[in-house]
Amino acid sequence: MSCESPSGALKAVLLKVAGKEKEKEKQFLEVWYQNRKVKSIDLTALDKHGSVYDDDQFGCLAWSHSETHLMYVAEKKRPKAESFFQTKAPELDGSADEELECPKKTDAPIKGEQFVYYEDWGETLSTRSVPVLCVLDIEGSSISVLEGVPKHVSPGQAFWSPDDTGVVFVGWWHEPFRLGLRHCTNRRSALFYVDLTGGKCELLSEDTGALWSPRLSPDCCHIAYLENRVLGPHQQCSRLRMYNWRTKQTCTVLEAVPRQVWGAFPGIYCSTLPRLCWAADSRRLVLDTSQRSQQDVFVVDTQTGSTTSLTADAPQGSWSVLTIDRDLLVAQFSTPSCPATLQVAVLPGVGQEAQIKWICLQNAPPVPGISWGIRTLKPPPEQENPQYEGLDFDAILLRPTEGPTVQKPPLVVMPHGGPHTVFSAGWMLYPATLCRLGFAVLLVNYRGSLGFGQDSVNSLPGNVGTQDVQDVQLCVEQVLQEEQLDASRVALVGGSHGGFLACHLIGQFPDTYRACVVRNPVVNIASMLTITDIPDWCLTEMGVPYVPNNLPDPAHLTVMLQKSPMSYINQVRTPVLLLLGEDDKRVPPVQGLEYYRALKARGVPTRLLWYPKNNHALAGVEAEADGFMNIVLWLLQHLQG
């Protein structure tokens, strides 16, 4: 993790060095001037806190405007603990009685605290429990842990106030207990300000929403941030809000969009705002967002609330903002057949943004042998959602244009996870590689996906296992009718909720699919409820509000099982390959084991791959490499002509 000072003259770099054998990890903060290291501070030796957070959920590394201090987030220092039966040898220069009369050291180990349970923030954040804001005095090489943060919130995403007299941060509620935070933009949180002179904490935003990604304008007058409703779907169409530092007033710049309309601003669907997103005029900001099955870049005028697409005249694909600095805009662009290329442009003045000219800094040719397109589908009348009629959805189809299967290739169907995420028409390694190996690949953005309006998101809770399954099957059947594909060789590949759908499909439509691969799938919502880091997901997607102090209702558990793939296990005949991460907190591996044992008991061909030290994403180098090879071999084995 690193950051430049406001003037650009200095750079701070956080380094973590693994300790030998039982030694704990060492942490250093280095300060660089141009190409010369001018300061190295051993944070571990100062012993003021635990591990420094380098994640993008809580973590930050921020210079003060005076460039004399650095702020970051770290784990609160825990008291030393030891067994009730720990004994120490008496001091050689004193008696046991004298030792008993000595005052206790402040850092003396506490007996009985050795096995106290500390809550964590779930998937990928299992080492995050109690974050604290820390300020490093560069000149004096001293650290202070900030006081004044409310006890009921966990701070993160912090930055210095305009005059360096305080700190602004996001505080997430952790009472009555912590829920998983990764990919969950619906957790109750608010914007706070702590005055460093008096330690007083002030609430800057409403405290009934879920906000994140605060960004201070260059003139230090405005703070823009994203906001969602608390609980409900984990990902939603967000509001863009802005706090005025001078007037202390908050306004809504952009509301959530109920329905996506062709040619209009689609709404905000992004996990974060770029760290640098403001234009030099401190009036406009840039962001990228899903627009159905594409991702585009928009500029937002915070004074008028107007939006302009900066990629309207660009080729079809996926655009992402990397940064903007004094109106020099840097982005990346990719398609399903072309890896990301670096694009730059100068942001035109207010009202002239549509005239932007992008310059490609790399001429990366498309990967040969892949064609792709986006198709829109509408469910038949009997599958319409009566509360949200008229919704449609998309799918992206990749086809091989070279090789022996080019005339009638087998089809691999990939529904996305979430369920409230989306496949954008950008570069994705797995689909592209499968296509090069001779498979057509169908990426389905069923109703409930992001980028189609908040109504589409809201249509799915209460209808998982039916609406999303029907959308995928409708798409498969239509593509098989309209395209030259081998309908006798169709497979499913899905992870998480995509695995949930894959397992549903081989149970509800066993004659369609010849092979199935699932990564950390949800197979039984009822048995997942009490072991996942996101129990609210189990109830929300079933259509029931989540209340932390409610006990599981037998009727709800019955419905959860009915909406789960396990309820169709007796119809499954398709060979299944399962890939499970041992350390998955989101969909614990016992879910996959439950499905594996049920398949084995029914004589269905199945194979299970178990990856130690891997979580929900299975993103470890060994796991990803081994997993992909096994996926390909499984598909080749069961989709032979």
Side-chain angles (χ1 to χ4, degrees), residues 7-79:
S7 69
L10 299 173
K11 186 174 185 178
V13 180
L14 174 68
L15 296 177
K16 293 188 175 185
V17 181
K20 296 179 181 179
E21 296 180 356
K22 294 185 179 181
E23 290 182 5
K24 66 179 182 179
E25 179 183 71
K26 292 189 176 182
Q27 304 173 102
F28 298 87
L29 254 179
E30 295 181 348
V31 178
W32 289 72
Y33 175 73
Q34 295 180 348
N35 295 323
R36 182 168 57 92
K37 182 168 65 177
V38 295
K39 195 97 173 180
S40 181
I41 300 161
D42 187 342
L43 303 180
T44 307
L46 293 175
D47 198 27
K48 290 288 188 178
H49 52 69
S51 179
V52 177
Y53 289 13
D54 55 3
D55 58 84
D56 57 1
Q57 186 67 56
F58 292 100
C60 66
L61 187 58
W63 284 92
S64 62
H65 299 284
S66 63
E67 302 188 356
T68 58
H69 293 76
L70 276 165
M71 177 174 53
Y72 56 91
V73 180
E75 183 68 19
K76 184 178 180 180
K77 184 180 178 182
R78 294 179 185 175

Side-chain angles (χ1 to χ4, degrees), residues 113-189:
E113 298 288 314
Q114 193 176 4
F115 301 106
V116 169
Y117 171 68
Y118 289 90
E119 294 177 16
D120 60 58
W121 286 97
E123 178 67 17
T124 76
L125 299 170
S126 59
T127 59
R128 290 13 179 176
S129 181
V130 185
V132 290
L133 300 176
C134 305
V135 173
L136 172 67
D137 182 332
I138 302 295
E139 187 63 32
S141 298
S142 61
I143 298 172
S144 57
V145 177
L146 296 191
E147 302 290 337
V149 175
K151 300 296 183 184
H152 63 278
V153 300
S154 292
Q157 299 185 11
F159 57 90
W160 295 87
S161 64
D163 48 10
D164 280 352
T165 59
V167 169
V168 178
F169 66 91
V170 177
W172 283 270
W173 268 248
H174 52 234
E175 299 294 346
F177 48 79
R178 291 161 176 78
L179 293 172
L181 197 53
R182 176 67 67 193
H183 305 308
C184 301
T185 57
N186 65 338
R187 301 293 183 231
R188 187 182 178 189
S189 49

Side-chain angles (χ1 to χ4, degrees), residues 403-467:
T405 65
V406 65
Q407 295 301 321
K408 210 168 185 182
L411 177 66
V412 175
V413 182
M414 298 179 71
H416 62 68
H420 307 293
T421 56
V422 65
F423 281 125
S424 288
W427 176 255
M428 292 167 278
L429 183 60
Y430 277 28
T433 308
L434 288 172
C435 195
R436 288 289 292 151
L437 290 170
F439 299 97
V441 181
L442 184 64
L443 310 170
V444 186
N445 288 323
Y446 45 85
R447 283 173 292 170
S449 302
L450 299 181
F452 295 80
Q454 185 61 29
D455 282 358
S456 182
V457 174
N458 292 338
S459 74
L460 188 53
N463 298 300
V464 293
T466 50
Q467 177 178 295

